[in-house]
Amino acid sequence: AQSVSQHNHHVILSEAASLELGCNYSYGGTVNLFWYVQYPGQHLQLLLKYFSGDPLVKGIKGFEAEFIKSKFSFNLRKPSVQWSDTAEYFCAASGGYQKVTFGTGTKLQVIP
Amino acid sequence: NAGVTQTPKFQVLKTGQSMTLQCAQDMNHNSMYWYRQDPGMGLRLIYYSASEGTTDKGEVPNGYNVSRLNKREFSLRLESAAPSQTSVYFCASSEDRGLLETQYFGPGTRLLVL
């Protein structure tokens, strides 16, 4: 069965620290990968997505993610976080015409 | 262009009561979805509608029914609410159910069942 795992449930960082949030998926065949973000009091919005091509994907607000097929991973990174990055981050995956499966989310707290 | 709208924003129900959550999108999207979000469990798909006139069960459909009224609207009904249905409900839409699976989410409905 398809699944998405996010192993970090809660991450606390100081401003300017580097960020890496883990995401692993279990899918057979072609996979489409996403990172969504939910800022406090707001609804989910897309950060970035990978369908094909360059495995290093750049998204909004300085975020990027790397698709490593051999590791079934799609980790989210940002070189220097800001207080405004405090949010909950969801990794998601879909295979072909199947519905999207979301991970359980990682809450990021950035301390000024 | 409002995107995805949901009503109501908040609701308190007593066990056994019924209610309908409304969702509408103005992006001419074919596919619409209902999720529930619970602490530590992320988003779980309740039902989805790949296109007007079709609906399919997701991961947690028990206790819910849906209606795809037209291309714009997708409602979620709780016939007999239970405390286990206390959650935040999100509606989403996407252009297609296929590769273009970027989903656009509504603001959510917070439901408390006593």
Side-chain angles (χ1 to χ4, degrees), chain A residues 36 38 43 49 51 97, chain B residues 37 45 97 99 102-103 106:
Chain A
Y36 285 86
Q38 186 177 26
H43 50 93
K49 60 185 178 184
F51 287 152
Y97 282 85
Chain B
Q37 183 183 27
L45 183 65
R97 190 170 64 93
L99 293 179
T102 301
Q103 295 188 18

Side-chain angles (χ1 to χ4, degrees), chain B residues 1-84:
Chain B
N1 191 340
V4 180
T5 56
Q6 292 182 235
T7 56
K9 292 184 178 179
F10 304 98
Q11 185 70 48
V12 179
L13 291 178
K14 294 181 179 178
T15 296
Q17 287 185 316
S18 62
M19 79 161 294
T20 300
L21 282 65
Q22 306 287 353
C23 174
Q25 52 90 9
D26 62 2
M27 296 174 281
N28 202 36
H29 285 170
N30 288 312
S31 300
M32 297 185 73
Y33 313 82
W34 276 105
Y35 293 91
R36 58 179 289 174
Q37 183 183 27
D38 302 292
M41 306 199 69
L43 279 83
R44 293 182 292 170
L45 183 65
I46 305 171
Y47 270 93
Y48 67 101
S49 170
S51 61
E52 186 179 355
T54 68
T55 60
D56 287 285
K57 294 179 180 179
E59 184 182 353
V60 288
N62 292 343
Y64 305 95
N65 285 302
V66 290
S67 295
R68 183 74 183 268
L69 303 170
N70 47 55
K71 193 171 186 178
R72 288 187 65 247
E73 298 172 287
F74 189 39
S75 63
L76 178 72
R77 183 161 177 83
L78 285 69
E79 291 291 352
S80 179
S84 61

Side-chain angles (χ1 to χ4, degrees), chain A residues 2-110:
Chain A
Q2 56 213 35
S3 64
V4 176
S5 299
Q6 292 181 246
H7 304 295
N8 311 108
H9 298 296
H10 197 178
V11 173
I12 301 173
L13 294 173
S14 298
E15 272 192 319
S18 63
L19 169 72
E20 182 161 4
L21 301 182
C23 173
N24 289 94
Y25 63 92
S26 172
Y27 266 77
T30 303
V31 65
N32 309 311
L33 297 158
F34 309 81
W35 276 98
Y36 285 86
V37 60
Q38 186 177 26
Y39 296 104
Q42 298 186 27
H43 50 93
L44 279 86
Q45 55 187 287
L46 183 70
L47 260 184
L48 50 80
K49 60 185 178 184
Y50 170 80
F51 287 152
S52 63
D54 189 343
L56 184 62
V57 180
K58 295 191 183 298
I60 60 172
K61 303 186 180 184
F63 285 91
E64 65 179 30
E66 186 174 11
F67 170 54
I68 303 179
K69 190 174 182 179
S70 61
K71 295 184 178 180
F72 297 92
S73 69
F74 190 57
N75 292 354
L76 181 70
R77 301 195 293 246
K78 186 171 184 179
S80 176
V81 295
Q82 301 172 316
W83 176 79
S84 58
D85 293 325
T86 294
E88 190 162 14
Y89 294 81
F90 293 91
C91 183
S94 72
Y97 282 85
Q98 295 180 39
K99 56 189 180 293
V100 177
T101 300
F102 284 81
T104 53
T106 298
K107 289 188 177 180
L108 171 65
Q109 184 179 356
V110 180

